[in-house]
Amino acid sequence: MLYNVPMKKVSIALIVLVFLLFWAFKCQKDREIEVLEVIEADKIVLDLNFNHIKDENEIFQIDGIEVFSLKNALNIAKKLDMTEFEAICAAKAAKKYAVSKLLGRKIILKENSNRAKDLKNEKYGKNGSIRLGRVELDGKDFAESLIKEGFALALNEKDFIRYKILENPHTIKKNAKFCTSFRSKKNDLHFLKTKEKQPSCRKMILPTVVYSESPTLKYHDVTIFLNNPNEFKMPSSSVRTRAGKILLKNINEAKKSIDFALYGLDRQDEILAALLNAKKRGVKIRGVVDTKADGTYVYADTKKLVENFNAVPDLKSSNMHNKFFIFDDDKVFTGTMNLSTTGTGGYNANTAILIKNVTVANAYRSEFEQMFNGKFQEIRSIPGVKSVNLGAVGELDIYFSPAGNPLVNGVLPLIKNAKKEIYVSIFYLTHREIIEALILAKSRGADVRIIYDAVGANNMKALVDMMRSKGLKLKVENWGGKDHEKNIVIDGEIFITGSANFSYSGMKKNDENVLIFKSPVVARFYRDYFLKLYDGIDEKYLKFSPRAESFESGNSCYDGLDNNFDGKIDKDDSGCKK
């Protein structure tokens, strides 16, 4: 008996010891550790030895998920029918999300048996990081949070019963579209920087997207500015648009020459002053401008361009409708935007493009030289240039009308070959061949959507009604400013823009330039913007058209403009009478 007592005590002591060891081991397994660095959304550095220094054996990767990252952007893009650009943006957004949630926080590691062995034996994964089972933050599984937020896919649905593989592509794509879920208070996105070194991105230059009310895409040597008509409530004599400010910058930085072809100038004194200063410092400035057949101007200030720079007027009944600048020998600024209170002043919907490319500059200069020497419209012979290599951006076709016949050679074949979708934003859509091609595309099953300017729609009511009757999803805008765009985006692959309306005059008679970008990056950028504008217009305007100057249309009753060109302004217009 005396022998058995110590044995019982020993047994009890052993049981207590085992329990304490088990408890210690459990505490060791589920322990809080600080996150020192977020490498990718699923790859983090943990302070295992509590020295606040990143050591080689402290890099961990969360298991069971495939996260958007720069390294695997292309693979995920293929799975979800996204562009690589969208996947890269999603990778940036995913990392931003992980940094905001994890960096400097203490997380709980829910280690499995294999992980415990890895820790003990200091085993590493093939990628040089230890695989983690689960990471718990604030009582939630962080891997599951990444899936739920649309930043990761579950590799095995057994691990994430609630989130089956590829169950949430819409959430993922929403986050991918230029990372709009991480806008700053001013709605500007700054974390996509082309200057940042991204060796894992195969030395790819990332597109820089500044997403505010009026988004801008900068990609290699192409910059596209989109002016949102909802950003400003009034026209302005000040240059307020990003495009207008970049135009001023290039005028101020020009060293040798500036050639311009402009529909006109309307109370944009900053631009006129910049041109005069360029002339004073020795820059050679030449221009061509539009006039009516009697020599009068649509915009009164156009006369100042003729007086100060000997700009050549066309003196034709058809329009010299271009809006382009050529700077020195390698840059072109063009698009749909006039130099006016509603254009560069920032009231209308517009698109402007800056391209740094010698081939593009030479093409525009050849067109300019003919007009400068008095060869306008039907007597010109410069058709344009095709398949300009813009590197990673893609290819660009440029047509000058009427000589280049952009309708037959460019626009129509692309509409006829569209497979999935055609989105149009336009001031005037009256060309019968284009309308018929859009209706045929709809009959093939393509999603055809149109944003039509209120002035154009009310002037062409029968055509608008006919297009609607054929099933085209045509919304008439109800903004204060105009839909001054002349844009088409096709299948998220092709973007068409320029000075030409989709009318007989625009395609066959006027002096115009039409650009066709064969570029998924550019097309998807504009597609995203178009859908935001389209969705922002009330569904009721699919059935009827608001008047351009009325209480239906933004601030049109208080903007000081004759919005519908009926000779009556604001309160004097019938649409603005209560």
Side-chain angles (χ1 to χ4, degrees):
M1 293 292 295
L2 293 173
Y3 176 78
N4 289 335
V5 172
M7 288 300 295
K8 286 184 177 180
K9 290 183 178 179
V10 170
S11 297
I12 293 171
L14 286 172
I15 291 171
V16 171
L17 180 60
V18 168
F19 177 79
L20 290 174
L21 287 172
F22 172 81
W23 183 256
F25 180 68
K26 186 180 186 304
C27 290
Q28 175 68 15
K29 285 179 67 179
D30 295 352
R31 53 183 171 163
E32 289 189 348
I33 301 177
E34 183 180 354
V35 179
L36 291 178
E37 182 183 339
V38 176
I39 300 172
E40 294 287 0
D42 64 337
K43 188 181 290 187
I44 56 180
V45 179
L46 301 177
D47 191 16
L48 281 182
N49 54 13
F50 307 104
N51 65 353
H52 301 289
I53 298 173
K54 174 183 173 182
D55 297 317
E56 282 188 1
N57 64 338
E58 293 182 330
I59 302 175
F60 297 86
Q61 188 154 357
I62 301 171
D63 231 341
I65 55 176
E66 183 179 11
V67 172
F68 278 92
S69 66
L70 290 172
K71 188 174 181 180
N72 74 343
L74 188 56
N75 291 332
I76 293 188
K78 289 178 179 177
K79 286 183 180 181
L80 297 179
D81 189 29
M82 299 163 56
T83 65
E84 186 174 6
F85 168 49
E86 287 177 326
I88 289 170
C89 286
K92 285 286 189 178
K95 181 175 178 179
K96 186 85 172 179
Y97 175 80
V99 168
S100 68
K101 295 291 184 181
L102 297 178
L103 189 61
R105 300 284 301 277
K106 288 186 177 180
I107 64 171
I108 295 176
L109 299 187
K110 294 287 187 179
E111 299 166 4
N112 55 34
S113 58
N114 290 331
R115 265 292 302 118
K117 292 177 182 177
D118 286 346
L119 276 176
K120 184 177 180 181
N121 301 323
E122 295 188 345
K123 287 185 178 180
Y124 298 88
K126 293 181 180 179
N127 58 0
S129 59
I130 302 173
R131 307 295 296 187
L132 284 176
R134 291 284 188 269
V135 171
E136 187 177 289
L137 179 67
D138 297 331
K140 297 180 180 179
D141 189 315
F142 186 68
E144 187 170 316
S145 297
L146 286 172
I147 297 171
K148 184 177 180 181
E149 293 297 326
F151 294 126
L153 309 177
L155 291 176
N156 187 339
E157 61 184 84
K158 292 180 180 178
D159 292 336
F160 300 95
I161 301 299
R162 292 171 54 205
Y163 302 101
K164 295 181 180 180
I165 299 173
L166 302 183
E167 186 180 57
N168 58 343
H170 296 296
T171 305
I172 291 169
K173 287 186 177 184
K174 181 181 177 182
N175 287 333
K177 288 179 179 178
F178 314 120
C179 316
T180 54
S181 56
F182 290 101
R183 300 177 192 171
S184 68
K185 290 181 180 178
K186 293 184 178 180
N187 285 330
D188 287 335
L189 184 61
H190 296 292
F191 65 84
L192 284 178
K193 297 290 187 180
T194 56
K195 295 180 181 179
E196 291 179 359
K197 293 182 180 179
Q198 301 291 353
S200 60
C201 203
R202 303 183 308 284
K203 298 182 180 179
M204 180 178 182
I205 298 178
L206 300 179
T208 299
V209 178
V210 179
Y211 210 112
S212 69
E213 283 296 318
S214 294
T216 299
L217 171 71
K218 180 172 175 54
Y219 193 38
H220 291 261
D221 293 329
V222 175
T223 308
I224 298 180
F225 307 89
L226 304 176
N227 195 69
N228 189 321
N230 299 306
E231 183 171 4
F232 300 111
K233 299 300 182 184
M234 299 280 285
S236 177
S237 57
S238 296
V239 176
R240 295 183 299 184
T241 59
R242 293 179 187 276
K245 290 175 181 177
I246 288 295
L247 174 60
L248 282 172
K249 183 175 185 291
N250 280 275
I251 293 172
N252 292 331
E253 292 178 353
K255 294 178 173 59
K256 296 186 298 182
S257 64
I258 301 174
D259 292 333
F260 61 78
L262 298 173
Y263 183 55
L265 179 69
D266 176 31
R267 290 168 287 172
Q268 295 293 279
D269 292 344
E270 292 170 86
I271 294 174
L272 180 62
L275 287 169
L276 289 170
N277 286 334
K279 182 180 177 180
K280 286 180 183 178
R281 65 176 187 269
V283 177
K284 181 181 178 181
I285 300 180
R286 303 181 299 169
V288 295
V289 296
D290 177 71
T291 59
K292 298 176 183 178
D294 61 3
T296 58
Y297 306 100
V298 175
Y299 293 141
D301 287 345
T302 308
K303 184 179 180 181
K304 296 177 183 178
L305 298 174
V306 176
E307 292 172 344
N308 289 287
F309 310 107
N310 296 317
V312 177
D314 69 330
L315 298 173
K316 297 276 187 178
S317 56
S318 295
N319 294 331
M320 202 300 298
H321 199 239
N322 285 295
K323 313 102 169 35
F324 70 74
F325 282 78
I326 310 163
F327 296 105
D328 296 328
D329 299 316
D330 63 351
K331 280 190 289 188
V332 171
F333 180 93
T334 187
T336 72
M337 181 179 288
N338 288 314
L339 307 190
S340 66
T341 59
T342 56
T344 43
Y347 195 43
N348 294 342
N350 270 305
T351 298
I353 301 167
L354 180 67
I355 305 173
K356 185 177 181 181
N357 183 281
V358 173
T359 303
V360 173
N362 287 340
Y364 274 86
R365 195 178 299 283
S366 296
E367 172 73 355
F368 173 84
E369 292 289 353
Q370 288 208 39
M371 291 189 290
F372 189 72
N373 289 308
K375 294 182 179 180
F376 290 94
Q377 293 147 25
E378 71 277 358
I379 60 176
R380 275 204 333 281
S381 61
I382 299 296
V385 60
K386 293 188 68 174
S387 302
V388 179
N389 184 357
L390 298 178
V393 176
E395 286 190 350
L396 172 65
D397 294 344
I398 303 168
Y399 296 94
F400 298 109
S401 66
N405 199 349
L407 177 71
V408 172
N409 296 324
V411 177
L412 269 182
L414 294 171
I415 294 176
K416 290 178 178 179
N417 289 323
K419 295 177 176 60
K420 296 186 295 183
E421 59 188 33
I422 305 172
Y423 298 153
V424 182
S425 181
I426 188 65
F427 185 52
Y428 267 103
L429 171 57
T430 59
H431 202 294
R432 291 282 181 172
E433 290 183 74
I434 296 177
I435 293 172
E436 289 170 5
L438 291 173
I439 293 170
L440 284 173
K442 172 67 174 64
S443 69
R444 296 194 306 269
D447 180 24
V448 181
R449 304 189 195 190
I450 301 168
I451 301 175
Y452 207 131
D453 179 74
V455 174
N458 282 285
N459 287 344
M460 299 293 167
K461 186 177 184 303
L463 272 178
V464 169
D465 289 345
M466 184 271 286
M467 284 188 275
R468 284 171 168 163
S469 72
K470 297 295 184 180
L472 303 187
K473 299 174 184 176
L474 189 155
K475 283 187 178 181
V476 176
E477 54 79 21
N478 64 328
W479 312 318
K482 295 176 177 58
D483 183 2
H484 197 252
E485 294 186 316
K486 303 93 171 56
N487 297 346
I488 303 177
V489 61
I490 299 174
D491 291 341
E493 301 287 333
I494 295 166
F495 176 56
I496 302 171
T497 189
S499 65
N501 286 300
F502 304 141
S503 63
Y504 179 80
S505 294
M507 292 290 155
K508 293 282 189 178
K509 295 178 68 177
N510 296 343
D511 292 312
E512 311 270 10
N513 69 104
V514 176
L515 301 92
I516 299 177
F517 286 89
K518 296 171 182 177
S519 166
V521 170
V522 172
R524 294 288 178 99
F525 170 68
Y526 184 77
R527 178 186 183 277
D528 180 73
Y529 171 76
F530 173 91
L531 290 173
K532 290 180 188 300
L533 287 184
Y534 185 88
D535 292 342
I537 300 171
D538 197 292
E539 293 293 304
K540 65 184 179 182
Y541 296 123
L542 279 167
K543 297 180 179 179
F544 71 93
S545 305
R547 289 174 290 180
E549 192 159 16
S550 69
F551 293 114
E552 297 171 302
S553 294
N555 201 44
S556 62
C557 288
Y558 306 97
D559 60 12
L561 296 177
D562 181 11
N563 301 76
N564 55 0
F565 307 109
D566 66 349
K568 299 175 183 179
I569 297 174
D570 294 351
K571 63 182 177 60
D572 295 326
D573 195 288
S574 61
C576 296
K577 294 183 184 297
K578 296 182 180 179

